Amino acid sequence: MNIVCIGSGYVGSVTGTAFAVLGHKTTVIDINQQKVDLMNSGKSPIFEPGLDELINKYIGNTLSATTSYKVVNDADVIFIGVGTPSKEDGTADLKYIKLAAKSIGENLNPNRFTVIIDKSTVPLGTGDLVSSIITEVSGLEVEKDFAVVSNPEFLREGYALEDVFYPDRVVIGTTNEKAKIVMRELYSNLIERANYEELSKDFVFDYNENAPKTIYFETDIKSAEMIKYASNAFLAVKISYINEIARLSETLGANVLDVAKGMGLDSRIGSKFLQVSSGWSGSCFPKDTAELLVTSQKYGNELSIVKAAVESNERMHHFCVEKVHRELKSLNGKNIGVLGLTFKPNTDDARKTQASTIIKKLIDLGANVKVHDPQGMDMFKSLNPDLEIQYVESPEQVAVNADALVLLTHWDQYLNLNWEQVYNLMRNPFILDTRNFLRELPLSSLGFNYEGIGIGIKEQVKNKQPLFI
């Protein structure tokens, strides 16, 4: 098929590249010439492990990039993968969706049936909005000349390529029979994993012939739109819950690591998203929970559980600051080093991260803050220009004369630091590990005052395993 992906951001670049790898002629459209030039030179416009290599191999073959919407005229399928940032009231700003729909309408071919796919995370009813804009601009008839489909993305940053080639499920929202046929054909190579053993030689992950079969699920467009929001909100609730259990465990002397492991052994609960942190953040959960919550309130059906999860998450950010405050007493003039600015490892995404909230609170309490992140410092600085912090090039520099180190993002680089050197650089060897990531290191024997979250005891019993599996 001829595929067009509008937007070269996280969704568009990964989706477009994946379908090019699967043999479809794919063109990525972006109004940013610099991003287009990057792709056409074989480089990824975003940081995602393995994406550079795939773009470099397929660009000029089945993959290309342009700023022109003229390629829409030849498209069988058009993905809309533009940003949907939050407004001040928490609702999604659809200005980029509307611009994309208008441009599609201006270039749509009246002589072929085209499927337009909302791939971005969009509020319920966006499919109808896109349809009406294209109808008005093009003069064509929806459901007859074109159809709009919801096909939400479920990509984890840092693992996006594995997720796009081995998804748990593919959700398709449409009642148009012609669109269903197109979508089934579009995804057939992915569902059947056609030629994966050969293709996977270019992947950053191993070919897995025993991976669970991808479930292809068809529903109506509004239900598909809701599935994305409901899924992210549920995961946010789950993270907030285990973080609350961590706070209570710390108070009562229990070990949340064992609590979470014991919970996860229950197949009804599962072990995923039971990892303690300083709170969920990033470009998806805060935005999606806010949109869903505001919508529920607007229509008189407030999602009280989602509301509680949002409030609990904010409490977790402050809880981490309180732990530093409790250790150092007054923070006036204290030097705090922060390791990690992105919401998770293996991404440069520093949008709406826990780091911005925690660092601001530390500064408000009088602390001097140094920060390091392997990939996210440029984005974090551009998004938080008013934060008076010092950006350093190595994690060791964060430790110089520090009264405390706070680990927020569990990059492998931090696990492999020369911790003896770090100890000698610090003024006061206190470490707050908000991910319980460094707990297996012999930090106490080096002289560090180490604290995790929800551990409840100073010295950990390492490598606990169940007696019977």
Side-chain angles (χ1 to χ4, degrees):
M1 293 186 184
N2 284 339
I3 296 176
V4 168
C5 286
I6 300 175
S8 68
Y10 193 78
V11 175
S13 60
V14 173
T15 302
T17 302
F19 280 106
V21 171
L22 292 171
H24 300 282
K25 181 183 177 182
T26 306
T27 305
V28 175
I29 299 176
D30 200 293
I31 59 174
N32 187 319
Q33 185 69 54
Q34 185 178 5
K35 292 183 178 181
V36 168
D37 291 343
L38 269 176
M39 287 199 73
N40 284 327
S41 68
K43 297 178 181 178
S44 171
I46 63 167
F47 176 78
E48 178 63 34
L51 189 58
D52 260 335
E53 291 83 353
L54 284 184
I55 290 175
N56 187 56
K57 178 165 184 176
Y58 288 90
I59 201 73
N61 184 8
T62 51
L63 180 64
S64 62
T66 182
T67 57
S68 172
Y69 272 85
K70 290 181 179 179
V71 293
V72 163
N73 189 261
D74 296 321
D76 299 302
V77 169
I78 303 167
F79 284 98
I80 301 178
V82 297
T84 54
S86 294
K87 297 179 182 178
E88 288 188 11
D89 65 355
T91 58
D93 188 343
L94 298 180
K95 61 183 177 183
Y96 301 118
I97 295 285
K98 293 175 182 178
L99 286 172
K102 180 176 181 293
S103 298
I104 290 170
E106 291 170 345
N107 293 275
L108 207 57
N109 190 333
N111 299 315
R112 65 164 41 171
F113 181 79
T114 309
V115 176
I116 295 99
I117 303 168
D118 281 331
K119 194 70 173 171
S120 302
T121 302
V122 293
L124 271 69
T126 301
D128 294 337
L129 172 66
V130 170
S131 294
S132 65
I133 292 173
I134 293 175
T135 297
E136 182 179 353
V137 173
S138 68
L140 300 177
E141 186 178 343
V142 67
E143 306 298 340
K144 176 178 175 293
D145 300 312
F146 70 94
V148 176
V149 172
S150 176
N151 173 215
E153 57 87 12
F154 300 101
L155 303 177
R156 298 170 297 161
E157 295 190 30
Y159 301 91
L161 292 181
E162 186 172 356
D163 287 345
V164 78
F165 288 108
Y166 290 97
D168 294 325
R169 78 282 205 202
V170 172
V171 175
I172 304 298
T174 183
T175 54
N176 185 288
E177 293 302 321
K178 290 175 69 175
K180 287 181 181 180
I181 292 171
V182 171
M183 295 304 292
R184 291 168 190 164
E185 177 64 23
L186 174 67
Y187 273 102
S188 61
N189 284 352
L190 187 147
I191 299 298
E192 296 166 9
R193 295 172 184 165
N195 203 30
Y196 263 35
E197 188 169 5
E198 181 64 27
L199 292 175
S200 65
K201 293 176 181 178
D202 299 320
F203 297 164
V204 295
F205 53 89
D206 294 331
Y207 168 65
N208 184 3
E209 62 180 343
N210 297 317
K213 182 177 176 61
T214 296
I215 296 173
Y216 189 86
F217 177 61
E218 293 178 341
T219 182
D220 63 273
I221 191 167
K222 287 187 179 179
S223 295
E225 291 170 339
M226 176 65 93
I227 285 168
K228 171 66 174 182
Y229 280 103
S231 297
N232 276 1
F234 181 83
L235 295 176
V237 168
K238 193 173 182 181
I239 297 169
S240 290
Y241 179 76
I242 196 60
N243 281 339
E244 289 202 348
I245 294 297
R247 298 201 296 268
L248 184 59
S249 294
E250 188 165 301
T251 300
L252 300 179
N255 185 340
V256 74
L257 300 175
D258 288 347
V259 174
K261 189 165 189 174
M263 290 172 60
L265 294 173
D266 187 329
S267 61
R268 298 169 301 173
I269 298 173
S271 60
K272 293 183 178 180
F273 289 85
L274 287 180
Q275 289 73 41
V276 175
S277 67
S278 56
W280 45 265
S281 61
S283 57
C284 292
F285 284 5
K287 178 173 71 70
D288 295 351
T289 52
E291 164 64 32
L292 189 60
L293 179 57
V294 170
T295 298
S296 71
Q297 293 167 335
K298 187 184 299 183
Y299 287 92
N301 286 283
E302 181 179 76
L303 297 175
S304 58
I305 293 176
V306 175
K307 182 180 180 181
V310 172
E311 293 171 349
S312 175
N313 194 59
E314 293 172 354
R315 174 75 186 97
M316 197 65 196
H317 296 337
H318 293 294
F319 176 78
C320 294
V321 175
E322 288 165 5
K323 283 176 73 72
V324 178
H325 182 229
R326 186 164 57 245
E327 176 66 27
L328 301 183
K329 311 308 178 189
S330 171
L331 295 186
N332 272 324
K334 298 293 174 64
N335 299 323
I336 311 294
V338 172
L339 295 173
L341 299 172
T342 55
F343 76 102
K344 63 185 293 187
N346 299 321
T347 180
D348 62 350
D349 195 342
R351 291 174 289 178
K352 295 184 179 295
T353 66
Q354 66 272 38
S356 58
T357 300
I358 290 171
I359 289 172
K360 184 178 186 304
K361 185 65 174 176
L362 291 170
I363 292 173
D364 288 345
L365 292 172
N368 306 309
V369 179
K370 288 183 186 178
V371 300
H372 175 268
D373 188 281
Q375 295 292 336
M377 289 196 290
D378 288 342
M379 183 183 292
F380 188 87
K381 188 174 184 178
S382 67
L383 293 171
N384 301 278
D386 297 329
L387 283 182
E388 296 182 2
I389 55 182
Q390 182 180 350
Y391 296 85
V392 296
E393 294 302 316
S394 73
E396 289 82 6
Q397 288 174 274
V398 163
V400 175
N401 293 324
D403 297 291
L405 287 184
V406 180
L407 184 139
L408 296 180
T409 314
H410 49 301
W411 288 91
D412 283 344
Q413 179 179 347
Y414 299 148
L415 192 66
N416 299 318
L417 290 181
N418 182 338
W419 285 100
E420 185 174 357
Q421 178 189 4
V422 171
Y423 174 82
N424 291 326
L425 290 171
M426 293 183 70
R427 186 162 66 184
N428 176 50
F430 171 67
I431 297 175
L432 173 60
D433 178 4
T434 70
R435 299 291 312 201
N436 296 326
F437 181 58
L438 309 174
R439 66 188 184 279
E440 298 293 342
L441 298 179
L443 296 177
S444 296
S445 63
L446 290 174
F448 285 101
N449 176 11
Y450 171 83
E451 278 195 36
I453 291 182
I455 293 174
I457 49 178
K458 288 288 184 180
E459 296 294 332
Q460 289 304 294
V461 178
K462 298 182 181 179
N463 301 319
K464 280 191 176 182
Q465 297 293 333
L467 295 178
F468 304 100
I469 298 177

